[in-house]
Amino acid sequence: MISKKPIRIISLILILSIIVNVESEAVFGKKKSSLFGKDNDSEYIILSGGPALRKWEDLRIEKYQHDRWWGNFIRSARARIQELRKEKGEKYKITWLVYKPSYETRSSEDDNPLISWVNSVQKKYNVNLVWIFKSNEITNYINNGRDRKKTKIDGFEYYGHSNRYAFLIEYSNDIIGASTVYLHENDLKQIRRTSFNRKAICVSYGCNTGESMSKKWRQATGIKMRAAIGKTDYSNPLKPVVVPPGYWNDFRLRLKRRR
C-alpha cells in the first residue's frame, strides 16, 4: 500500500514552487500569473456639458431658469470621479471630457477662475482631462482616444443639459434657450461598439434622454443606458435626481429585482 504522506509533501512542494515563481515574476517586472487576476487595462469616461449664462437665464421666469450656480455639471462629475478613484485605485484610467467654451464665457461673467478650478480637479484626482470644443470630439474620443483593442471602456456618464434626442453640450450660452453644440442621437451610429466592454455602465443625468436617446445609444453600442424619463434636478449636485412624476428608464427592472 502506498503511503499518502509522500504524495501530500510532493503536492505541497509543487504549490510552493508555483507561488514563488509568480512572486518572482512580479518583482522582476514580468507579466503576473493569471492566478492573481489580469491587470485591468480599461477606462471610464465622464462627459460634462457647459453651463448657461446668467444674462440669458435672468430674462426667463424664475422657475424656468437654469444654472444659477456655474458648477452643477462639474461638481457632480467630481463626486463621481472621487468614487471611482476610491473604488478602482490610483492607476485606473479615468477620462473627463469637458466643454471648455461655456466655462470660459461663464468665467468672465462670474469673474471667477473657473478653468483653473476645473484643472485643480484633474490634478487632485489624477484624471485625464480633455477639453472639448465640438460634439464630434466625443465620438472621436470614444473610438480613438486610446487603442480600443487593448483599452476598452468600462463606463460612460453624462452630466449636462439635454432633451429626449440629444446631449446639449452647449445650452443657453450663445443663444437664450437654444443649443449650438450638441450630440444628436443620430450621431451615435458613428460609435464603434467594440470600444466598450460588454458589461459597461452607461448613465445619462440629462433631462429626458430616457425617452428616445437611450434607445439609440443601445442600438449603436449594444449597451443599455440608464437615463431619465422626465427632468433631472441638480439642486444637490452630489446626487442628481429625477423630478417627479418622472423616473429612471430602468425603474421597473429594479423594482422586479427587489421583489
Side-chain angles (χ1 to χ4, degrees):
M1 182 176 179
I2 300 173
S3 173
K4 293 182 179 179
K5 190 172 182 180
I7 295 175
R8 290 175 181 172
I9 293 172
I10 292 170
S11 299
L12 181 60
I13 291 170
L14 287 171
I15 292 170
L16 288 173
S17 66
I18 291 171
I19 292 172
V20 170
N21 184 52
V22 170
E23 289 180 345
S24 65
E25 287 183 351
V27 169
F28 291 102
K30 296 180 182 179
K31 188 176 180 180
K32 293 183 181 180
S33 168
S34 59
L35 287 172
F36 293 89
K38 296 179 180 179
D39 291 336
N40 189 1
D41 191 14
S42 53
E43 178 182 27
Y44 211 101
I45 299 174
I46 293 176
L47 170 62
S48 291
L53 290 183
R54 293 309 311 164
K55 73 174 184 178
W56 299 129
E57 293 302 302
D58 287 341
L59 300 175
R60 294 175 182 263
I61 298 172
E62 186 173 353
K63 67 178 181 179
Y64 296 125
Q65 292 181 9
H66 299 89
D67 303 334
R68 292 182 179 85
W69 184 49
W70 72 274
N72 288 332
F73 311 135
I74 297 299
R75 187 67 184 90
S76 51
R78 174 184 170 143
R80 184 63 176 127
I81 289 168
Q82 189 174 4
E83 286 179 351
L84 287 168
R85 187 57 74 213
K86 184 177 180 180
E87 177 186 344
K88 301 288 189 178
E90 291 299 319
K91 293 184 179 180
Y92 185 71
K93 297 179 179 67
I94 303 173
T95 292
W96 189 20
L97 308 178
V98 183
Y99 182 68
K100 192 173 188 178
S102 288
Y103 290 96
E104 290 177 323
T105 53
R106 185 65 184 255
S107 180
S108 297
E109 186 178 62
D110 288 1
D111 195 24
N112 280 316
L114 305 187
I115 302 301
S116 296
W117 290 349
V118 174
N119 284 330
S120 70
V121 178
Q122 183 270 328
K123 294 175 183 177
K124 182 175 179 63
Y125 295 104
N126 188 31
V127 299
N128 177 32
L129 173 61
V130 179
W131 293 106
I132 61 172
F133 300 85
K134 299 177 181 179
S135 60
N136 65 353
E137 293 176 272
I138 301 166
T139 52
N140 286 343
Y141 187 86
I142 290 173
N143 291 335
N144 305 307
R146 299 183 190 270
D147 182 351
R148 294 302 174 206
K149 291 182 180 179
K150 297 179 180 179
T151 305
K152 300 293 185 181
I153 298 169
D154 268 348
F156 176 93
E157 296 185 19
Y158 174 64
Y159 298 88
H161 292 292
S162 61
N163 59 32
R164 65 186 302 170
Y165 301 115
F167 294 153
L168 308 180
I169 311 303
E170 178 278 325
Y171 177 77
S172 205
N173 194 285
D174 292 338
I175 304 169
I176 184 172
S179 176
T180 59
V181 180
Y182 51 86
L183 182 66
H184 194 272
E185 62 179 21
N186 290 337
D187 298 326
L188 299 178
K189 59 189 176 184
Q190 299 170 10
I191 296 175
R192 290 198 296 267
R193 62 171 55 202
T194 54
S195 299
F196 289 85
N197 281 325
R198 286 183 293 177
K199 294 184 178 180
I201 297 169
C202 296
V203 186
S204 167
Y205 290 96
C207 297
N208 306 112
T209 44
E211 297 167 24
S212 180
M213 192 173 183
S214 62
K215 298 171 187 175
K216 294 284 189 176
W217 178 274
R218 186 175 184 181
Q219 290 174 13
T221 66
I223 308 295
K224 292 181 180 179
M225 172 175 276
R226 188 176 193 234
I229 295 177
K231 295 183 178 181
T232 54
D233 181 13
Y234 284 77
S235 295
N236 177 5
L238 297 179
K239 189 178 181 182
V241 297
V242 181
V243 179
Y247 55 92
W248 294 107
N249 61 352
D250 64 350
F251 171 76
R252 291 182 179 84
L253 178 61
R254 288 172 177 261
L255 189 61
K256 286 181 181 179
R257 287 175 180 171
R258 288 177 185 174
R259 290 175 179 173

